[in-house]
Amino acid sequence: MKPTVVLASILKPVDDVRLYQKIGQSLANQYPDTDFHFIGFASQTPSFSKSTNVYFHPLYAFKRLSSQRLFAGIRFFRKLWRLQPQIVVVATFELLLPVYFYRWFRKVRIVYDVQENYYRNIRYTQVFPTLLRRLLANNVRLIERFCHHRITQYLLAEACYYQEMPFMQHKATIVANKVKRFAISPQPSIPGRLVYSGTISKDYGVFRAIHWAAQLHQKHSEISLVIIGFCPNVQDWQQLQLWLEKHSFIQLIGGQKIVPHQEILKALQQAQFALLPYQVNKSVAGRIPTKFYECAALQTPMLVQTNPAWQSFIEKYPAGTFIDFDDATNTSQIWENIQQNTYYQQTPTDEDIFWESEEKKLLATWKKLI
């Protein structure tokens, strides 16, 4: 029987950019005699692989805050029982408990791919009601600590997690979420095109971006705004509809369905500027957004919410300009100023932005697991 590895997430599609396209493909190519099974949401695009040792299991199809999420662990446990893996990589905290209990019955090594600091996401964003945030965040940390002694290895997507979650440190390897080399046809940027991409959410600053762009559009009619990505929150979706009805210069791609990553890259390539209007709180302040790497690879200039932790990356090339999206009083002056700037005077190095540098760390860590 061939060695078997399961890689699973509740919130991401089976062909997730990090878990499958980066970690999974790197491992499947390196270990062709091992079967790799990917568990997650059904993908918006047909999921298939050229590799004969890769299999997809789309188990989930519910909204982020759906009650069905409570039963996802049971389905995951059943799938583990059938597949009988020797290593399980989980990228969502809820899946730690099912694999923890599975380990009571069968020998398995557990790898926790920490893509998010879920404690801080819940505690310092507005996804959940204020009175519930501390309780839910503490429950997440309790699960992570309860399972800690059974976890063989942590993969940290952000360097800041090493300090934010010190109990993981002696088992952790930082495998940053740098961009995988992609094949995309060269396209010129469209003058006046602004692009907001990724999760469409108030916490990620989408409405700050809209308000800022709307003020700019009043004085510069050539401005257009493309919003591309998935909107997981019902209230945010309803508010977004009001903005779309009010402003014809805004185009939405996706919204209530996940957008293929290649489409997002194409939109970023066509942008004169990518907008990154994050709400800088304890959830995101220390992280390097994946969009930084993507825009740098495409050499798309960015307009970024001011945050000292991002200064060294943005100013190095330079890859963009820091602005305050909450201050829409001087948008016209900012627009005139950034037209005069020259971006990417220094070309980003492969080591700075591409996945290959992280792949080496991943494979070295994996070699110790098997």
Side-chain angles (χ1 to χ4, degrees):
M1 184 177 178
K2 294 173 68 174
T4 300
V5 175
V6 166
L7 301 95
S9 173
I10 284 181
L11 300 177
K12 301 294 179 67
V14 289
D15 57 355
D16 173 52
V17 173
R18 176 175 170 88
L19 200 59
Y20 167 63
Q21 295 180 28
K22 296 176 185 176
I23 294 174
Q25 287 188 342
S26 293
L27 293 175
N29 292 337
Q30 183 70 17
Y31 298 97
D33 295 328
T34 299
D35 285 340
F36 292 87
H37 296 262
F38 295 86
I39 296 174
F41 261 78
S43 176
Q44 293 296 316
T45 55
S47 299
F48 64 91
S49 173
K50 295 179 181 178
S51 303
T52 57
N53 61 335
V54 168
Y55 305 89
F56 295 108
H57 304 269
L59 289 187
Y60 311 118
F62 48 75
K63 295 182 178 180
R64 183 177 292 259
L65 300 182
S66 170
S67 59
Q68 295 181 54
R69 190 169 170 179
L70 298 173
F71 304 100
I74 297 174
R75 300 182 67 184
F76 178 56
F77 183 91
R78 290 174 177 170
K79 181 63 73 171
L80 290 179
W81 196 262
R82 287 196 291 269
L83 294 175
Q84 301 182 38
Q86 288 75 52
I87 301 177
V88 177
V89 182
V90 296
T92 316
F93 71 90
E94 291 136 295
L95 298 183
L96 288 173
L97 285 177
V99 72
Y100 177 92
F101 293 124
Y102 175 80
R103 196 178 184 278
W104 285 5
F105 304 98
R106 290 173 177 163
K107 185 177 180 181
V108 67
R109 278 155 288 179
I110 304 171
V111 179
Y112 186 16
D113 180 36
V114 186
Q115 299 187 12
E116 309 276 351
N117 184 338
Y118 291 105
Y119 173 89
R120 291 197 174 203
N121 283 5
I122 295 170
R123 179 80 186 277
Y124 300 114
T125 66
Q126 300 178 36
V127 174
F128 296 96
T130 304
L131 295 177
L132 289 178
R133 288 175 199 164
R134 184 185 292 270
L135 174 63
L136 293 174
N138 286 337
N139 282 341
V140 169
R141 187 62 85 233
L142 180 63
I143 291 172
E144 291 174 334
R145 285 187 173 275
F146 176 76
C147 297
H148 171 70
H149 69 288
R150 295 296 189 189
I151 295 173
T152 307
Q153 179 69 45
Y154 294 93
L155 304 177
L156 306 184
E158 299 283 350
C160 64
Y161 295 164
Y162 195 81
Q163 302 301 326
E164 293 173 5
M165 295 175 272
F167 65 94
M168 299 180 179
Q169 288 180 357
H170 71 285
K171 299 182 182 181
T173 301
I174 298 169
V175 181
N177 215 13
K178 295 180 182 179
V179 65
K180 191 172 182 180
R181 292 183 190 274
F182 43 78
I184 187 168
S185 302
Q187 298 183 55
S189 63
I190 299 173
R193 172 70 59 86
L194 307 176
V195 173
Y196 171 100
S197 65
T199 302
I200 301 172
S201 166
K202 179 180 179 180
D203 287 313
Y204 283 81
V206 65
F207 300 119
R208 303 162 83 198
I210 292 173
H211 179 66
W212 192 88
Q215 294 299 310
L216 179 61
H217 182 262
Q218 288 182 4
K219 295 184 178 180
H220 297 270
S221 59
E222 75 276 14
I223 295 297
S224 63
L225 173 62
V226 172
I227 299 173
I228 180 169
F230 177 64
C231 183
N233 184 278
V234 174
Q235 288 75 26
D236 289 344
W237 173 251
Q238 292 171 346
Q239 188 174 348
L240 180 62
Q241 296 307 299
L242 297 177
W243 279 103
L244 292 173
E245 291 173 5
K246 186 177 180 181
H247 295 292
S248 60
F249 77 96
I250 303 174
Q251 177 189 0
L252 174 66
I253 302 174
Q256 292 193 304
K257 63 179 182 179
I258 295 174
V259 180
H261 190 236
Q262 284 293 108
E263 287 190 35
I264 292 177
L265 293 176
K266 181 179 177 181
L268 287 172
Q269 189 180 36
Q270 293 175 336
Q272 184 175 358
F273 289 95
L275 303 184
L276 289 88
Y278 292 102
Q279 300 271 12
V280 180
N281 53 42
K282 290 184 179 181
S283 172
V284 301
R287 295 164 56 184
I288 302 297
T290 305
K291 273 178 279 190
F292 281 20
Y293 300 120
E294 292 172 345
C295 288
L298 294 166
Q299 296 202 15
T300 298
M302 294 174 268
L303 299 182
V304 185
Q305 179 63 37
T306 302
N307 180 18
W310 299 335
Q311 190 168 349
S312 61
F313 186 100
I314 296 298
E315 294 183 352
K316 183 176 182 179
Y317 308 112
T321 298
F322 286 107
I323 66 172
D324 182 2
F325 281 92
D326 288 326
D327 182 5
T329 58
N330 60 343
T331 55
S332 184
Q333 184 62 52
I334 291 173
W335 184 250
E336 292 173 8
N337 291 343
I338 61 179
Q339 304 296 312
Q340 309 303 317
N341 294 343
T342 302
Y343 298 100
Y344 297 104
Q345 299 173 37
Q346 176 181 332
T347 302
T349 66
D350 291 356
E351 187 79 13
D352 286 343
I353 62 173
F354 286 117
W355 168 250
E356 284 82 355
S357 62
E358 304 308 301
E359 182 182 56
K360 293 176 183 177
K361 293 190 286 184
L362 170 69
L363 295 178
T365 299
W366 197 266
K367 190 175 181 180
K368 298 174 184 177
L369 285 174
I370 58 178

